[in-house]
């Protein structure tokens, strides 16, 4: 029966059809590595068939059982749209010959494969795995090759059985492959014994996935293994939300929402603590690395904060300040840094932080100090280099990550060679990164943290700068005077209005200043999206700014019609449409000229979460990207570390400064609308900021002082020392 005839016999939306076929060729694969178009042959009658769907994990020569529906495409004709699949070992003679001769079994080509199947028929695989000595009955197969064939087929059979088990649980090919890579032939057995271990041991496998597996293999809600998995999940989730620990009462409340009874919580905590997987401290539940980091930061901050003997050339350094034109708080900051081992310099836009940093660096160099400048992100480090006229590095590069050992090379045993370590954008400093930095700072050095505490907290757990200030154990110099030259900027004025809880005042119609701020009103998502496109066009005409390189669209969320995912699809079409004559690519698939962002720290490539780059070309499944002037390549399996970046979340923009930003705000963002969010977004702009959206959302963000405070005891620990 032909595919076309088969299609006619099936309902249009029947996803229950089953097709067993052997993969012959992969004709297309999407750049995200999931969608593919396969040419295959039915195992039953050897008829050709086209298969489309999320089937990119299959190798040539592999047999799979596909679930889905037959359909008639107006251009490509009859094909099978797969909604799921599971690899199986072939059973027909044709399937066996293709499988063995496809290259999946080393040492076996098409000729030997045909001879093996001709000799043993449909029992070929059973003979290979159970009676491998008989393979020498076939010409061209000796004892050594027979053993190698048996080993390879056993591995492929175990892999197919494992994939079939995982696909039967509803897991996608990428996640299934991760589990098989980790656990090998024992995957099914180990997951039946304790599926919650996968959430502990494999990145990308969360509690919900483990719980789905657990339900499929019959683990009840009150099982101790499930309780332990739920507790670890809740502690990890709290860290993802910026919390260093989870109060025990809150953990029990959240566990109950996962149908874990209170009676199981204490047992789970005791068992996890005995395994060294949790720390219980005064009614709070910590992941061990967080507990170590909180204690370590407190003790090291306390050691640095002890009084220091002023340097011998102090008078000479202070005399040099007379020509700097510093205001008294700025001068005080320089003096304080020369007589303290620890200091915080904080202030909003236009208050002279950059001028103070330059003066502070020169004063320390005057007294002979070796100065090291750093920041949490690459963009912040680049800004600091430009402002201070000295090299600044990311903290990760400064501490020299060692991929072989999985840690930083510089630490307390091999510390930094520095008398002054100055960290800019310190509001972005999370607890674990601060702990690594503090470990590498000699006790005789001075640490100066520069930041604006009114910005968003760090993405990682622990608001180090706020906790340090709150402890009262550290000298803090606050710059709160807005200098005259900054007062003419509507962006600076707007930031201080937001800080006071008021919506920002835009630049008057028809006027232009040194930092313009405009509001474009729209209420419906579709209208807002169109206003964004119109605004980018007007910025280019009125200000001469490149809408791709000089302007960043910012929004609070990833999801939804006004999230980064939807906006990037739209803006890619507007700002980087397919070039005439180029091979067409679906929307969202990266192509030459696209603006992209790195989504996680990559120590091997030395690219960091939030770094921006440009796609130079895509060839043979490899995407070549320029990041900070360096060429970085990504294979298909690695491309999930990148995303389109025409639009970015406001959180991801921290530490950056751009000529212009377009900020999208809407009531649908209500769960994230806050004063720090709006303040952070606005202060990313140097020349121009445009707020596009609903005035009610802007006003709500300005009124909402803070959404929540992170659970962290760094300040309390430091105050108690």
């Amino acid at each position: 029966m032909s595919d076309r005839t088969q299609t006619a016999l099936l309902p249009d939306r029947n996803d229950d059809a089953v097709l067993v076929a052997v993969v012959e060729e992969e004709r297309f694969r999407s750049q995200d590595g999931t969608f593919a178009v396969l040419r295959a042959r039915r195992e039953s009658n050897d008829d050709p068939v086209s298969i489309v769907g999320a089937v990119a994990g299959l190798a040539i020569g592999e047999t799979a059982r596909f679930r889905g529906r037959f359909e008639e495409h107006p251009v490509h004709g009859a094909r099978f749209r797969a909604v799921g699949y599971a690899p199986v070992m072939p059973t027909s003679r044709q399937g066996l010959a293709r499988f063995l001769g496809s290259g999946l079994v080393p040492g076996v080509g098409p000729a030997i494969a045909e001879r093996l199947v001709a000799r043993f028929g449909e029992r070929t695989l059973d003979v290979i795995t159970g009676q491998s000595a008989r393979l020498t009955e076939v010409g061209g197969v000796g004892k050594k090759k027979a053993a190698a064939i048996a080993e390879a087929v056993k591995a492929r059979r175990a892999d197919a059985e494992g994939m079939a088990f995982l696909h039967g649980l509803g897991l996608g090919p990428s996640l299934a492959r991760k589990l098989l890579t980790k656990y090998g032939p024992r995957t099914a057995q180990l997951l039946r014994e304790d599926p919650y271990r996968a959430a502990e041991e494999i990145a990308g496998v969360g509690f919900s996935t483990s719980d789905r597996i657990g339900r499929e293999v019959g683990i009840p809600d009150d099982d101790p293994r499930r309780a332990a998995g739920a507790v670890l999940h809740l502690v990890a989730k709290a860290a993802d939300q910026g919390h260093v620990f989870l109060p025990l009462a809150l953990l029990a409340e959240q566990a109950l929402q996962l149908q874990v009874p209170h009676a199981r919580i204490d047992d789970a905590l005791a068992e996890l603590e005995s395994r060294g997987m949790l720390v219980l401290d005064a009614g709070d539940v910590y992941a061990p690395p967080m507990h170590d980091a909180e204690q370590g930061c407190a003790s090291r901050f306390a050691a640095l904060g002890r009084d220091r003997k002023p340097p011998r050339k102090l008078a000479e350094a202070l005399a040099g300040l007379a020509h700097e034109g510093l205001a008294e708080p700025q001068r005080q900051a320089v003096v304080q840094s020369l007589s303290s081992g620890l200091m915080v310099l904080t202030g909003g836009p236009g208050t002279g932080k950059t001028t103070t940093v330059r003066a502070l660096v020169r004063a320390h160099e005057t007294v002979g100090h070796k100065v090291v400048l750093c920041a949490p992100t690459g963009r912040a480090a680049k800004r600091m280099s430009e402002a201070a006229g000295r090299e600044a590095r990311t903290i990760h590069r400064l501490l020299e990550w060692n991929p072989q050992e999985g840690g930083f090379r510089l630490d307390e045993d091999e510390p930094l060679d520095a008398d002054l370590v100055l960290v800019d954008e310190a509001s972005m400093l999370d607890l674990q990164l601060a702990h690594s930095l503090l470990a590498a700072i000699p006790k005789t050095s001075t640490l100066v943290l520069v930041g604006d505490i009114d910005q968003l907290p760090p993405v990682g757990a622990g608001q180090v700068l706020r906790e340090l200030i709150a402890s009262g154990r550290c000298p803090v110099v606050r710059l709160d005077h807005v200098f005259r030259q900054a007062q003419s900027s509507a962006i600076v004025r707007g930031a201080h209005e937001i800080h006071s809880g008021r919506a920002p005042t835009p630049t008057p119609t028809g006027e232009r200043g040194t930092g313009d701020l405009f509001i474009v009103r729209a209420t419906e998502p579709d209208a807002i999206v169109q206003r964004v496109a119109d605004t980018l066009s007007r910025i280019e005409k009125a200000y001469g700014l490149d809408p791709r390189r000089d302007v960043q669209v910012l929004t609070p969320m990833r999801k939804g019609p006004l999230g980064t995912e939807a906006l990037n699809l739209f803006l890619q079409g507007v700002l980087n449409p397919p070039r005439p004559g180029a091979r067409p690519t679906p929307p969202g698939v990266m192509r030459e000229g696209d603006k992209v962002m790195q989504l996680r720290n990559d120590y091997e490539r030395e690219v960091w979460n939030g770094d921006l780059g440009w796609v130079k070309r895509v060839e043979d499944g490899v995407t070549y990207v320029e990041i900070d002037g360096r060429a970085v390549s990504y294979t298909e399996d690695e491309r999930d570390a990148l995303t389109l970046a025409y639009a970015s979340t406001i959180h991801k923009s921290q530490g950056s400064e751009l000529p212009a930003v377009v900020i999208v705000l809407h009531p649908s963002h209500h769960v994230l609308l806050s004063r720090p969010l709006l303040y952070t977004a606005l202060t990313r702009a140097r020349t121009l900021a445009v707020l596009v959206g609903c005035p009610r959302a802007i006003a709500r963000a300005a009124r909402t002082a803070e959404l929540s405070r992170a659970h962290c005891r760094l300040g309390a620990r430091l105050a108690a020392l």
Side-chain angles (χ1 to χ4, degrees):
M1 182 183 295
S2 71
D3 290 331
R4 197 173 297 274
T5 305
Q6 180 74 37
T7 306
L9 298 177
L10 286 168
D12 288 343
R13 298 295 298 176
N14 183 0
D15 283 347
D16 295 327
V18 173
L19 171 72
V20 179
V22 184
V23 178
E24 281 194 331
E25 179 188 0
E26 185 177 83
R27 291 180 168 175
F28 172 79
R29 178 185 290 204
S30 65
Q31 291 190 11
D32 64 4
T34 56
F35 180 86
V37 177
L38 306 178
R39 186 182 72 189
R41 287 191 178 272
R42 295 170 180 268
E43 192 185 45
S44 59
N45 57 16
D46 212 35
D47 280 352
V49 59
S50 292
I51 301 171
V52 300
V55 293
L58 288 165
I60 307 304
E62 202 162 8
T63 301
R65 180 181 292 106
F66 300 93
R67 181 174 60 83
R69 68 180 184 274
F70 289 93
E71 64 181 20
E72 185 78 25
H73 191 275
V75 176
H76 302 294
R79 59 189 192 175
F80 188 87
R81 179 168 292 278
V83 296
Y85 74 88
V88 296
M89 299 303 286
T91 56
S92 69
R93 287 175 175 264
Q94 299 100 318
L96 287 166
R98 286 197 186 90
F99 168 70
L100 294 171
S102 66
L104 291 172
V105 180
V108 177
I112 291 180
E114 291 287 354
R115 291 200 293 270
L116 285 168
V117 175
R119 176 72 181 85
F120 301 114
E122 294 177 359
R123 295 186 60 251
T124 300
L125 293 184
D126 292 332
V127 172
I128 290 173
T129 56
Q131 299 172 289
S132 60
R134 291 192 59 192
L135 301 184
T136 57
E137 298 172 14
V138 174
V141 180
K143 288 184 178 180
K144 189 173 181 181
K145 180 172 284 190
I149 292 171
E151 183 178 349
V153 170
K154 285 177 183 178
R156 296 297 301 185
R157 175 175 274 180
D159 196 46
E161 290 171 352
M163 285 291 281
F165 168 74
L166 296 171
H167 279 288
L169 297 175
L171 303 186
S174 176
L175 192 53
R177 181 58 59 191
K178 278 187 179 181
L179 289 161
L180 282 173
T181 301
K182 174 69 176 178
Y183 299 129
R186 299 181 64 219
T187 298
Q189 176 191 341
L190 292 175
L191 291 181
R192 285 191 176 99
E193 291 173 356
D194 185 2
Y196 299 96
R197 65 182 294 170
E200 302 171 22
E201 299 172 349
I202 304 175
V205 180
F207 175 78
S208 60
T209 299
S210 290
D211 204 32
R212 191 167 75 215
I213 298 172
R215 292 181 189 282
E216 290 288 337
V217 300
I219 293 179
D221 285 351
D222 62 348
D223 190 284
R225 292 167 293 182
R226 185 173 185 274
V231 168
L232 289 174
H233 160 69
L234 291 171
V235 173
K237 181 181 176 184
D240 289 341
Q241 294 171 342
H243 301 294
V244 176
F245 62 84
L246 198 56
L248 182 55
L250 183 57
L251 184 147
E253 177 185 322
Q254 293 177 356
L256 194 60
Q257 295 173 4
L258 296 174
Q259 286 78 50
V260 178
H262 286 302
R264 288 294 184 193
I265 297 298
D266 289 342
D267 292 341
L269 289 170
E271 191 260 338
L272 291 168
E273 189 174 31
S274 70
R275 289 165 55 191
M277 301 190 72
L278 288 180
V279 174
L280 300 180
D281 186 342
D284 299 323
V285 186
Y286 289 80
M290 290 296 181
H291 192 258
D292 291 345
E294 190 175 84
Q295 287 188 323
C297 282
S299 63
R300 291 180 184 278
F301 275 136
L304 285 171
R306 296 190 179 100
D307 291 337
R308 298 294 174 85
K309 189 175 180 181
R312 284 179 296 176
K313 293 185 177 181
L314 177 62
E316 182 181 340
L318 295 181
L321 297 181
H323 306 291
E324 300 286 347
L326 301 178
E328 182 53 33
Q330 294 175 301
R331 184 180 183 280
Q332 178 192 347
V334 177
V335 173
Q336 187 71 62
S337 73
L338 289 164
S339 56
S340 304
L342 179 64
M343 189 193 89
V344 168
L345 174 65
T346 185
T351 58
K353 287 199 305 295
T354 299
T355 300
T356 308
V357 166
R358 284 198 293 259
L360 192 151
V361 168
R362 283 195 290 271
H364 278 265
E365 289 176 342
T366 298
V367 302
H369 285 171
K370 182 170 183 179
V371 177
V372 167
L373 307 179
C374 60
T377 68
R379 285 178 288 175
K382 185 177 181 181
R383 281 180 58 201
M384 192 182 194
S385 296
E386 294 167 352
R390 309 284 191 281
E391 181 193 13
R393 287 171 280 178
T394 64
I395 296 173
H396 293 88
R397 284 198 176 108
L398 177 68
L399 300 181
E400 300 180 28
W401 176 261
N402 185 328
Q404 283 73 39
E405 297 182 6
F408 292 111
R409 188 180 71 81
L410 299 184
D411 54 20
E412 57 189 342
D413 297 322
E414 191 169 351
L416 287 162
D417 179 17
D419 300 299
L420 169 68
V421 177
L422 195 150
V423 183
D424 198 14
E425 295 289 352
S427 63
M428 300 176 65
L429 197 59
D430 64 64
L431 191 68
Q432 288 188 290
L433 185 57
H435 188 222
S436 296
L437 177 63
L438 287 165
I441 296 177
K443 293 181 180 179
T444 55
S445 298
T446 293
L447 172 64
V448 174
L449 300 175
V450 181
D452 185 346
I453 60 170
D454 295 316
Q455 290 188 26
L456 284 168
V459 175
Q463 300 178 17
V464 172
L465 189 64
R466 291 188 184 191
E467 291 284 318
L468 183 57
I469 293 172
S471 73
R473 292 289 304 273
C474 169
V476 178
V477 177
R478 301 176 190 270
L479 305 178
D480 52 17
H481 173 71
V482 179
F483 287 89
R484 181 176 300 173
Q485 59 268 34
Q487 291 175 2
S488 62
S489 167
I491 294 172
V492 172
R493 294 197 307 271
H496 288 277
E497 287 173 324
I498 293 168
H499 182 257
S500 300
R502 305 191 306 275
T505 302
T507 300
T509 303
E511 292 188 15
R512 288 276 295 270
T514 56
D516 287 333
L517 167 62
F518 299 105
I519 297 176
V520 177
R521 292 169 173 78
T523 55
E524 295 302 320
D526 288 347
I528 291 173
V529 170
Q530 189 56 53
R531 294 285 194 283
V532 169
D534 296 342
T535 297
L536 292 174
S537 177
R538 292 175 66 184
I539 288 174
E540 184 174 21
K541 292 175 182 175
Y543 288 82
L545 297 174
D546 184 337
R548 292 195 308 157
R549 292 189 175 271
D550 300 327
V551 186
Q552 182 65 55
V553 177
L554 299 176
T555 185
M557 305 173 77
R558 288 178 49 242
K559 302 291 185 180
L562 296 175
T564 57
E565 293 178 0
L567 286 171
N568 272 317
L569 288 177
F570 173 76
L571 292 172
Q572 183 191 42
V574 172
L575 299 176
N576 190 34
R579 301 184 181 186
R583 179 181 176 182
T585 57
V589 174
M590 291 172 195
R591 50 184 174 246
E592 182 181 342
D594 273 333
K595 182 180 184 179
V596 294
M597 178 184 287
Q598 176 78 16
L599 291 175
R600 54 180 175 264
N601 290 337
D602 188 325
Y603 300 98
E604 300 280 351
R605 292 182 175 85
E606 290 194 341
V607 291
W608 315 111
N609 188 355
D611 280 356
L612 292 175
W614 300 92
V615 176
K616 292 311 205 181
R617 66 185 192 281
V618 180
E619 290 180 359
D620 300 323
V622 179
T623 302
Y624 297 89
V625 182
E626 180 186 299
I627 299 177
D628 285 337
R630 297 188 303 116
V632 185
S633 62
Y634 297 80
T635 64
E636 290 181 357
D637 292 339
E638 299 164 335
R639 202 174 294 123
D640 63 349
L642 291 175
T643 187
L644 292 173
Y646 300 104
S648 164
T649 63
I650 296 169
H651 280 84
K652 287 284 189 183
S653 73
Q654 286 178 268
S656 66
E657 185 181 70
L658 297 120
V661 297
V662 175
I663 305 163
V664 177
L665 291 178
H666 187 264
S668 63
H669 299 140
H670 63 93
V671 295
L672 291 177
L673 292 177
S674 70
R675 193 176 301 166
L677 182 97
L678 181 55
Y679 180 90
T680 300
L682 186 61
T683 53
R684 299 311 91 203
R686 186 168 57 245
T687 302
L688 173 66
V690 183
L691 292 165
V692 181
C694 179
R696 287 191 297 110
I698 298 170
R700 175 172 178 164
R703 287 196 310 267
T704 306
E706 194 167 14
L707 294 174
S708 64
R709 291 302 299 267
H711 297 302
C712 182
R713 298 207 186 283
L714 173 60
R717 290 184 190 275
L718 181 53
L721 292 177

